[in-house]
Amino acid sequence: MADLFAGVTTSHVPAIGAALDNGKTAEPYWAPLFKGYEPTKAWFAKMKPDVAILVYNDHACAFSPDVVPTFAIGCADEFLPADEGWGARPVPVVKGDPEFASHIAQSVILDEFDFTIINNMTVDHGLTVPMSLMFGQPKEWPCRVVPIAVNVTQYPFPTGRRCYALGQAIRRAVETYEKDLRVVIMGTGGMSHQIHGPRAGLINSDFDARFLDNLTADPAALVAMPHLEYMREAGAESVELIMWLIMRGALDDAVEEIYRFYHVAASNTAVGHIILENKRSAVRA
Amino acid sequence: MSQLKHDYDDIPGTTVFDADLSRKGYHLNTFFFTLMKQENRDVFKADQTAYMSRFRLTEEQRAAVLARDWNEMIRLGGNIFFMLKLSFSDGMSVQQLAGAMTGMTAQQYAQMLLDGGRSIEGNRSKSEWANG
């Protein structure tokens, strides 16, 4: 049986990818950030997941202005890095798991969450920067990926409550998959940031700290938070944090916080990162 | 426009790209989207006006692009994530783009972020900006 044993969240700032790709990780500006992900890389090397269900948002790369799906799942066998305007990132092709992804799609749609099924798409920094932070710069990514794209670029977005419930449906889907797979789910984006308009550059570290605390201990408090509160308190683009609730909904109520890292700022953005293991999995590992 | 009143309209210095703006900016954002291909970037850079004539942009939208007036592009329906295709084509970082919309110099904006970013205090509501 497939076992979803842990959840990981991280910001997915494009400049982090550029710093890695251009060999700047040792520079004083970037070194503290990359150091913060060293324990994460060790954790992944030890836990060796077969598949990562990676929740992210497309940044107007795979989806043109013609169509913006609210929830979409990538069922292809591979996903090429997107050219976002300066050439594609020099990172490995992302390998999918079409059979597992199709199973999740079928289960989740019949569970009343209407995924759009994507058979061909590129993936932008929203997906590849988290991969780089988790795995560094290998020739091939060490696990397969089921991409789940969430609309956070064109309002209205799905509510936090809906995202959390989608996570619960994804977990039910994983639990009915018969192959033995070790699965992690990742929620990406956030934390505080606003990258447009005269209020750009907003960072609210108190908001971020409360969010991280509640993610582990009291997700119900986060699920009830309206979009307005994210956008007002932590910058318009911080609303990406609703994707972290999909991760949290897929985990047990009782989780153990394995690791947390917070850093201000990378480019315009407060970087937050957390690793949560289901307590039952932590005991087994 | 939509019949709905938006709670987010009270956030200062912020434009939430919603379904109304999506419709207003459809052709503008379609233009940005094409800049994800190198051959299109090359043609655009060689003659910006000629390239833009392929799209059903308004005169205001064309002028905003030529002037690189990023806040004006937002007002006219530009979505920041589509606009990034243009700013990346111009060789700007996201920080340079965001900073350009604040009225600060690039250096002032970068320093503000090194110092922990723009505070939430005084930046929650339009009423705070109007009084301050």
Side-chain angles (χ1 to χ4, degrees):
Chain A
M1 297 291 284
D3 180 27
L4 199 162
F5 65 94
V8 179
T9 64
T10 183
S11 308
H12 58 212
V13 185
I16 294 174
L20 263 164
D21 300 341
N22 296 310
K24 294 182 176 172
T25 57
E27 291 185 359
Y29 184 86
W30 290 110
L33 181 130
F34 288 103
K35 187 161 177 283
Y37 283 86
E38 287 303 319
T40 309
K41 287 196 271 185
W43 181 86
F44 267 98
K46 186 178 94 185
M47 303 311 277
K48 291 190 172 49
D50 299 300
V51 181
I53 298 171
L54 203 157
V55 182
Y56 75 112
N57 65 289
D58 178 67
H59 297 79
C61 291
F63 305 135
S64 78
D66 291 351
V67 178
V68 181
T70 296
F71 295 121
I73 182 166
C75 295
D77 56 3
E78 64 178 28
F79 305 92
L80 299 177
D83 177 345
E84 303 184 41
W86 75 96
R89 288 193 64 209
V91 292
V93 169
V94 174
K95 300 292 184 188
D97 188 331
E99 187 186 330
F100 185 41
S102 300
H103 167 83
I104 294 173
Q106 175 164 319
S107 173
V108 165
I109 292 169
L110 296 179
D111 210 353
E112 304 187 335
F113 287 86
D114 304 318
F115 266 146
T116 299
I117 292 175
I118 308 286
N119 287 313
N120 179 23
M121 69 173 178
T122 57
V123 288
D124 66 27
H125 69 269
L127 189 141
T128 63
V129 166
M131 293 295 283
S132 296
L133 286 170
M134 303 304 125
F135 303 116
Q137 296 173 291
K139 284 215 164 59
E140 301 285 338
W141 298 121
C143 72
R144 300 188 295 281
V145 174
V146 174
I148 291 178
V150 179
N151 168 37
V152 292
T153 60
Q154 178 175 296
Y155 192 88
F157 321 123
T159 62
R161 186 174 307 285
R162 181 106 179 122
C163 287
Y164 188 80
L166 172 62
Q168 293 174 314
I170 290 170
R171 183 227 183 92
R172 288 191 287 273
V174 172
E175 286 178 340
T176 55
Y177 192 61
E178 290 184 354
K179 279 192 182 171
D180 284 330
L181 283 183
R182 289 173 56 72
V183 181
V184 297
I185 183 163
M186 292 168 57
T188 72
M191 298 190 82
S192 292
H193 66 305
Q194 175 153 337
I195 60 165
H196 82 270
R199 202 176 71 136
L202 189 111
I203 304 272
N204 186 342
S205 296
D206 292 337
F207 176 97
D208 291 341
R210 278 197 305 278
F211 195 92
L212 286 163
D213 288 346
N214 282 333
L215 193 67
T216 304
D218 189 12
L222 301 179
V223 165
M225 195 185 342
H227 296 125
L228 176 66
E229 192 170 335
Y230 292 91
M231 296 192 291
R232 190 199 292 278
E233 294 295 323
E237 280 74 41
S238 76
V239 77
E240 291 176 345
L241 286 168
I242 60 174
M243 296 186 289
W244 293 25
L245 300 179
I246 297 174
M247 179 285 291
R248 189 63 183 90
L251 298 182
D252 291 353
D253 289 343
V255 292
E256 185 173 344
E257 185 176 320
I258 302 298
Y259 182 61
R260 181 195 293 206
F261 175 65
Y262 185 74
H263 175 82
V264 173
S267 187
N268 307 275
T269 304
V271 173
H273 165 48
I274 207 163
I275 301 176
L276 304 177
E277 287 181 19
N278 285 331
K279 284 206 169 147
R280 61 190 169 95
S281 300
V283 170
R284 252 205 319 271
Chain B
M1 294 297 282
S2 164
Q3 302 293 306
L4 295 170
K5 276 198 75 160
H6 308 126
D7 51 12
Y8 48 78
D9 288 341
D10 179 52
I11 307 174
T14 301
T15 304
V16 175
F17 183 81
D18 58 17
D20 291 323
L21 283 173
S22 177
R23 210 163 50 246
K24 187 175 175 182
Y26 173 73
H27 296 290
L28 180 61
N29 291 317
T30 298
F31 150 68
F32 293 137
F33 189 73
T34 64
L35 298 178
M36 290 176 69
K37 290 194 169 138
Q38 185 63 48
E39 61 261 38
N40 292 339
R41 294 196 284 271
D42 292 341
V43 175
F44 171 65
K45 283 177 186 173
D47 188 338
Q48 297 189 34
T49 304
Y51 185 77
M52 281 193 285
S53 71
R54 299 178 185 183
F55 304 89
R56 288 168 53 194
L57 306 184
T58 66
E59 197 47 54
E60 275 185 307
Q61 287 171 333
R62 262 195 295 270
V65 171
L66 287 173
R68 298 298 191 270
D69 185 339
W70 306 102
N71 282 321
E72 180 71 353
M73 288 182 233
I74 294 260
R75 191 181 73 82
L76 299 173
N79 173 301
I80 189 66
F81 297 105
F82 287 107
M83 285 162 56
L84 280 166
K85 287 28 169 185
L86 175 61
S87 61
F88 283 141
S89 299
D90 286 347
M92 294 171 80
S93 69
V94 183
Q95 191 184 78
Q96 287 167 334
L97 172 65
M101 287 184 260
T102 63
M104 305 167 83
T105 66
Q107 194 180 2
Q108 286 168 336
Y109 183 75
Q111 189 61 48
M112 178 180 77
L113 282 153
L114 285 172
D115 295 339
R118 186 186 304 280
S119 171
I120 183 62
E121 298 310 326
N123 289 312
R124 286 190 170 89
S125 164
K126 279 185 175 164
S127 62
E128 294 178 298
W129 276 28
N131 296 336

